[in-house]
Amino acid sequence: MNIKAVIFDLDGTLLNTLEDIAASANRVLEGAGLPAHPVDRYRYFVGEGMRCLIERIVPENERSNDLINDLIRAFIRDYGNNWKVKTSLYDGIATLLDGLQNRGIKLSVFSNKPHDFTIICVREFLSRWTFRAIIGQREGKPRKPDPDGALEIARLLDVDPGMVLYLGDTATDMKTARAAGMIPAGALWGFRTEKELWENGALHVFRQPPEVLDLIP
């Protein structure tokens, strides 16, 4: 398989961010007098951007625009102060990134996390490696599964989309890869299930990060 570049999702693929996201979101909910959620439920709340996250965690009968906007602002403040309390690289990611970089594969990140947070996370946890493009959710730009951001990265890297492996852990990532004409690959160490990944178009599913290297001799 002729792979020249890899686009990584961030949360649930490179970084295990679930506990910090859940902790900040639950503090925001409790501050507004709303019920918190078990951490594991956040596996299905995250993945489609900050507004979707906040909308999903608020009880349906409380979802006014004013409340959602207030909670988004509160979440940005709280998460901005607590985003790396428990966040860490997944086991095996360092081995995968070393192997890809040694093979001359171009690395990049495409996330529905707000762009500024995406940049900060990559700089804090992934500075050992060269990521040639880092794109998070930007104002006025469509979020995944719209393929525009993935295709923008392919142009920046000067790589044909068909030669890009797109590695992510959710249906959103698989749909993005397929819409962009890239190679969809699922990360089972992340937030979602194997069934979800296959049903949404994965061509490869990996249980551990170093297995990805088997595609790129």
Side-chain angles (χ1 to χ4, degrees), residues 3-216:
I3 294 170
K4 300 295 185 184
V6 177
I7 295 177
F8 291 92
D9 174 49
L10 185 63
D11 301 87
T13 303
L14 289 170
L15 299 179
N16 187 351
T17 57
L18 195 67
E19 288 190 69
D20 285 338
I21 291 171
S24 283
N26 280 339
R27 281 191 293 270
V28 166
L29 287 172
E30 290 166 352
L34 298 170
H37 301 282
V39 171
D40 213 47
R41 289 196 63 189
Y42 281 88
R43 293 178 181 275
Y44 288 90
F45 293 148
V46 301
E48 295 185 57
M50 186 180 298
R51 176 166 286 274
C52 282
L53 165 65
I54 299 303
E55 288 174 348
R56 286 169 175 167
I57 65 176
V58 172
E60 192 170 351
N61 62 340
E62 301 278 358
R63 291 177 190 166
S64 70
N65 281 334
D66 286 346
L67 177 61
I68 296 299
N69 289 335
D70 287 346
L71 294 181
I72 288 171
R73 287 189 288 269
F75 179 80
I76 289 170
R77 288 192 299 271
D78 190 289
Y79 189 64
N81 291 322
N82 298 285
W83 62 275
K84 60 176 180 176
V85 176
K86 293 188 177 180
T87 290
S88 62
L89 285 180
Y90 282 103
D91 290 343
I93 286 294
T95 300
L96 170 57
L97 294 176
D98 285 342
L100 292 172
Q101 198 152 275
N102 290 341
R103 288 162 169 78
I105 301 299
K106 298 176 180 180
L107 308 179
S108 59
V109 170
F110 183 33
S111 177
N112 272 342
K113 198 183 198 80
H115 185 70
D116 289 346
F117 279 138
T118 299
I119 296 290
I120 290 168
C121 285
V122 172
R123 286 177 178 168
E124 176 72 20
F125 289 101
L126 297 157
S127 60
R128 268 180 54 188
W129 302 278
T130 300
F131 287 86
R132 304 193 186 197
I134 303 166
I135 294 179
Q137 177 58 49
R138 300 165 294 178
E139 190 71 30
K141 297 286 187 177
R143 57 182 170 83
K144 298 186 290 183
D146 189 287
D148 281 3
L151 292 171
E152 179 182 347
I153 288 173
R155 291 192 296 271
L156 289 169
L157 301 184
D158 194 25
V159 175
D160 184 274
M163 296 180 178
V164 178
L165 183 74
Y166 190 112
L167 184 65
D169 67 307
T170 70
T172 297
D173 294 309
M174 300 306 98
K175 291 174 182 177
T176 303
R178 293 190 70 85
M182 297 175 178
I183 303 161
L188 281 183
W189 56 88
F191 298 160
R192 303 289 180 81
T193 66
E194 184 171 7
K195 181 174 183 286
E196 176 178 320
L197 295 169
W198 287 123
E199 286 182 349
N200 287 278
L203 293 180
H204 308 276
V205 172
F206 302 103
R207 296 192 176 278
Q208 300 295 333
E211 294 173 10
V212 178
L213 296 172
D214 294 339
L215 286 182
I216 309 168

